[in-house]
Amino acid sequence: MKNIYFSVRGTSNFSPPQTYLFNKIVETSKNIFKLFGYEEIILPILEEEAVFVRSVGQATDIIEKQMFKVTRNRPDLDSKMQIVLRPEGTAQVIRYYIENSLYKKSDFYKFCYFGPMFRGEKPQKGRLRQFHHIGAEAIGSYSEFLDAEVIFLSLEILDALGIKQKSLHLNSLGCGLDKEKFKELLKKEILPYKDKLCIDCQRRMEKNPLRIFDCKEENCQSICEKFSSITSQQYLCKTCHSHFKNLVDILKDNFGIQPFVDFRLVRGLDYYTNTIFEINSPFLGSQNALGGGGRYNNLVEELGGPKVGAVGFALGLERIMLLLEKIDILKTIDVFIATTNDTLIKEAVKLLISLRKENISSDIDYCKKSLKGQLRYAEKKNVNFVIILGEEELKENKVILKDMKRSLQEKVNIDNIIPLLKSKLKNV
Ligand code: HAM
């Protein structure tokens, strides 16, 4: 017996109908991005580690525990640079923006991107080691209207995919100075409880006390409860306070969105300033975030570019798939051509070629199945129509058209089959 191999833990193999769903999600998103003026970029999966260390933050889970480092069989040929599989897209988009001095060409950009991200998390439902982001970054503006557009855009994509039940959680961390003030106060308040925190939070306390709010350990949560009156909102300077207030008003007045303002919301990446948001689903269990994002007004400068405001988001494609998997709109083809016996395959191929020429997705049987077997196969493929070619009908230049969804059938003149199918397919 030879060894067989298995997928790496936390990775997925997509096969039909999941692949159709995957592509449908990407295509729907692309159409909406286009409507909102976001242009697609395709960036590499390999990236220099420092890009993420300096942006996502040294004291975050992603950097501390989850990076996949890439080594070659010829380390003697590699420079000292550490290469990783990208864990997220924002820092990379900014690296690309700065590397190409895009700020010299235009003061404002809207990018969208799709692709795999890698985080060495403990795999569970909705939490993978290789997953896909649908992301967007708008670079070059501090306007609250842009924050609102980005939030609205992420919700629009989910709406267009049929995900109606979801909640928007919104908070502001304030500017860099506000964040520092907030962190210092938290550190001071939590210090007496340091020994009761988990090992991770003890370390976080020094570098990034905000992350303690996000810890799932019971002890850490109950310590956080003691500080429920301390929120980032209290430390917002006048400008950041009015940015947040304006944003909430714009969301309500212009976009008809009523956010849940959640003063305890923090995010797992350090680059955020001001607006942060998450979109949750009630149907996803513990990994309930469908997406998240926010503003990162200091990141471009921190990575060596000019001081410009930016905001973006990413949706988790696999989590969207988990919600949509039950939808039965998935099908490979519209029409299946069945024959009453396999000697009619030449006639079937002739018709198949003309259907495909007319852009009607169609297929035939290549396995000499009985008529019953062919119909069963067509049903499994979820096709809308089956054309049955029978010797008797062909003598009259006719075929049988079976409407699989309505369980109706009719005899149709073979010359009329294409226009008839075209008009029927418009209504499915
Ligand atoms: P994030 O919250 O880390 O944000 O990821 C965005 C979404 O990706 C999450 O809400 C979740 O749906 C999905 N996701 C994250 N980790 C996993 C995982 N291990 N398995 C499956 N799905 C996952 C970011 O990455 C930011 N770059 C978003 C952003 C863009 N902020 C500003 N611009």
Side-chain angles (χ1 to χ4, degrees):
M1 268 284 272
K2 285 194 176 143
N3 269 347
I4 64 157
Y5 299 99
F6 297 93
S7 315
V8 173
R9 226 160 86 83
T11 64
S12 317
N13 300 289
F14 296 121
S15 51
Q18 284 173 313
T19 36
Y20 301 109
L21 184 54
F22 185 106
N23 290 330
K24 185 183 143 74
I25 295 169
V26 172
E27 261 150 46
T28 305
S29 314
K30 280 189 183 178
N31 289 338
I32 295 177
F33 278 135
K34 201 164 162 225
L35 196 66
F36 282 68
Y38 286 72
E39 292 184 291
E40 184 177 353
I41 48 174
I42 301 174
L43 300 181
I45 284 164
L46 300 182
E47 195 70 50
E48 188 176 345
E49 183 185 33
V51 170
F52 302 109
V53 176
R54 279 179 56 196
S55 54
V56 172
Q58 186 78 60
T60 57
D61 285 351
I62 295 180
I63 301 300
E64 278 183 344
K65 308 182 205 166
Q66 300 172 356
M67 296 274 256
F68 282 106
K69 303 199 174 174
V70 177
T71 52
R72 283 209 301 173
N73 284 343
R74 293 288 311 270
D76 53 314
L77 292 183
D78 277 337
S79 66
K80 292 260 160 6
M81 185 196 284
Q82 183 67 256
I83 307 290
V84 295
L85 302 180
R86 62 180 181 191
E88 64 104 48
T90 310
Q92 182 177 50
V93 172
I94 299 307
R95 185 271 301 149
Y96 155 80
Y97 168 84
I98 298 167
E99 179 181 358
N100 292 288
S101 305
L102 295 187
Y103 48 87
K104 290 187 183 154
K105 297 173 193 150
S106 167
D107 59 358
F108 187 63
Y109 287 90
K110 280 175 163 183
F111 295 121
C112 63
Y113 53 91
F114 307 85
M117 303 292 159
F118 304 83
R119 295 182 193 173
E121 301 197 63
K122 196 165 172 214
Q124 65 176 86
K125 193 173 167 213
R127 191 164 74 191
L128 296 153
R129 289 183 170 170
Q130 176 174 338
F131 58 97
H132 293 77
H133 267 173
I134 297 167
E137 314 294 344
I139 310 164
S141 162
Y142 294 93
S143 168
E144 299 92 333
F145 284 93
L146 187 62
D147 301 39
E149 179 189 89
V150 160
I151 292 170
F152 181 66
L153 168 59
S154 57
L155 292 168
E156 276 288 284
I157 292 175
L158 295 170
D159 264 352
L161 289 166
I163 298 174
K164 302 290 173 209
Q165 268 180 283
K166 52 193 174 303
S167 53
L168 168 68
H169 295 242
L170 186 70
N171 193 14
S172 173
L173 297 172
C175 55
L177 281 177
D178 297 346
K179 251 171 91 172
E180 278 314 308
K181 270 193 268 166
F182 182 45
K183 276 189 199 169
E184 281 312 309
L185 179 97
L186 260 185
K187 220 153 91 178
K188 216 168 87 196
E189 295 287 333
I190 296 179
L191 195 62
Y193 302 90
K194 187 174 174 185
D195 295 344
K196 298 201 172 69
L197 294 171
C198 72
I199 302 284
D200 281 342
C201 283
Q202 292 192 15
R203 206 182 44 247
R204 283 173 188 141
M205 222 190 87
E206 284 312 313
K207 292 184 187 153
N208 194 357
L210 292 186
R211 301 288 310 139
I212 301 173
F213 281 142
D214 231 11
C215 182
K216 303 280 181 281
E217 295 286 327
E218 224 172 274
N219 257 355
C220 302
Q221 293 227 338
S222 64
I223 291 169
C224 284
E225 279 310 306
K226 295 187 199 300
F227 306 107
S228 53
S229 58
I230 306 175
T231 69
S232 55
Q233 291 284 318
Q234 296 155 350
Y235 294 86
L236 297 189
C237 62
K238 230 169 143 188
T239 315
C240 293
H241 190 270
S242 93
H243 184 98
F244 190 65
K245 189 186 168 306
N246 291 345
L247 170 62
V248 174
D249 289 344
I250 294 164
L251 283 173
K252 282 187 199 155
D253 301 342
N254 292 81
F255 293 94
I257 298 171
Q258 184 75 53
F260 171 61
V261 176
D262 179 354
F263 293 145
R264 305 310 292 264
L265 179 67
V266 289
R267 302 259 304 132
L269 308 108
D270 273 358
Y271 47 64
Y272 292 111
T273 55
N274 297 91
T275 312
I276 51 170
F277 68 96
E278 258 173 28
I279 303 166
N280 294 339
S281 161
F283 304 116
L284 280 179
S286 63
Q287 302 303 311
N288 65 347
L290 281 167
R295 241 185 201 283
Y296 45 94
N297 289 340
N298 298 334
L299 182 59
V300 179
E301 200 178 21
E302 267 162 28
L303 290 182
K307 175 131 194 67
V308 288
V311 55
F313 73 89
L315 299 173
L317 201 148
E318 283 78 0
R319 295 197 188 166
I320 296 175
M321 284 179 80
L322 279 175
L323 288 183
L324 296 182
E325 230 140 40
K326 285 174 228 97
I327 288 180
D328 70 346
I329 48 168
L330 303 167
K331 56 180 168 52
T332 45
I333 47 168
D334 286 321
V335 177
F336 187 80
I337 305 170
T339 55
T340 51
N341 77 59
D342 62 51
T343 60
L344 296 174
I345 187 156
K346 269 199 159 174
E347 300 300 323
V349 170
K350 223 161 90 185
L351 182 57
L352 181 69
I353 290 170
S354 31
L355 288 180
R356 287 179 180 166
K357 257 195 193 138
E358 293 295 325
N359 244 347
I360 299 174
S361 63
S362 39
D363 212 348
I364 57 166
D365 168 49
Y366 293 97
C367 306
K368 297 191 174 182
K369 287 191 198 71
S370 66
L371 181 59
K372 209 167 149 193
Q374 292 174 69
L375 291 175
R376 220 180 292 128
Y377 178 82
E379 201 171 353
K380 221 161 83 187
K381 288 279 162 193
N382 203 13
V383 303
N384 292 307
F385 297 99
V386 174
I387 300 171
I388 303 174
L389 303 188
E391 266 163 356
E392 291 310 307
E393 287 81 9
L394 280 175
K395 276 185 203 151
E396 300 168 28
N397 204 32
K398 289 196 168 148
V399 292
I400 295 169
L401 181 63
K402 198 169 160 61
D403 184 329
M404 299 293 277
K405 303 290 166 196
R406 295 188 179 84
S407 297
L408 297 172
Q409 64 177 52
E410 59 184 313
K411 269 194 194 173
V412 178
N413 193 303
I414 203 159
D415 303 324
N416 295 337
I417 193 79
I418 289 179
L420 184 65
L421 271 174
K422 276 188 169 173
S423 84
K424 281 183 184 284
L425 282 169
K426 268 190 207 147
N427 302 321
V428 293

